[in-house]
Amino acid sequence: MVTSNQRPIAVDLFAGAGGMTLGFEQAGFDVLAAVELDPIHASVHEYNFPFWTTICKSVTETTGKEIRELSAIGDRDIDVVFGGPPCQGFSLMGKRKLDDTRNSLILHFLRLVLDLQPKFFVMENVRGITIGRQKKFLETIIEEFKS
């Protein structure tokens, strides 16, 4: 239960410069940790959100434990994990290659959500993930969360 002096806690994966962080912050969340691979984007995120922890690292190389330890989350419950894994391999505007290495980043999003055990998660991606052979990635995620 959230009291009047306690805001819900969130984690941003694939944070970029912080567009989704800003939205969640404006919706009343404390986005205590953000993970972003690109050092320029991570620096911009850190500048935009100086009170939260920005981890400049690939989601493939981090764990829920590390995210908790490097931020102010500690052992507290996380209300939501959100993020938008790269969409180039799924986009209808692209080549839609199943072997695009960025496609596997969705599985790391899944791994970190399961590791962090939030009450909710939000994953943003493109419509192309629901069409054709790329739909398998979406079905895999849905089945993993169901189990």
Side-chain angles (χ1 to χ4, degrees):
M1 180 173 168
V2 176
T3 61
S4 61
N5 63 352
Q6 181 184 358
R7 291 164 43 113
I9 295 172
V11 173
D12 187 351
L13 304 176
F14 308 98
M20 287 182 77
T21 294
L22 179 62
F24 273 85
E25 186 181 58
Q26 289 178 345
F29 288 81
D30 284 345
V31 185
L32 296 182
V35 180
E36 172 53 44
L37 170 66
D38 183 89
I40 293 173
H41 291 134
S43 294
V44 171
H45 192 284
E46 190 170 33
Y47 177 81
N48 288 335
F49 305 97
F51 302 110
W52 315 135
T53 299
T54 302
I55 302 166
C56 184
K57 193 172 192 178
S58 173
V59 296
T60 65
E61 298 172 358
T62 193
T63 64
K65 180 180 178 187
E66 182 178 36
I67 291 168
R68 287 177 175 280
E69 288 174 353
L70 292 175
S71 69
I73 297 170
D75 63 356
R76 294 189 284 172
D77 287 343
I78 296 171
D79 294 287
V80 65
V81 172
F82 61 88
C87 64
Q88 292 90 335
F90 305 115
S91 175
L92 298 174
M93 299 299 291
K95 296 180 181 176
R96 296 178 53 80
K97 291 185 176 184
L98 287 176
D99 62 350
D100 187 320
T101 56
R102 295 169 290 194
N103 292 352
S104 68
L105 294 173
I106 285 183
L107 302 177
H108 288 282
F109 178 86
L110 166 70
R111 175 183 57 81
L112 287 170
V113 168
L114 294 174
D115 197 12
L116 290 166
Q117 299 204 327
K119 296 172 187 164
F120 303 95
F121 75 93
V122 176
M123 186 185 91
E124 180 275 331
N125 213 283
V126 295
R127 190 180 72 133
I129 197 171
T130 67
I131 298 170
R133 296 182 301 168
Q134 284 75 3
K135 188 174 182 178
K136 180 161 179 46
F137 285 92
L138 183 59
E139 291 170 348
T140 298
I141 288 176
I142 291 169
E143 288 306 311
E144 286 295 320
F145 279 120
K146 282 182 180 178
S147 69

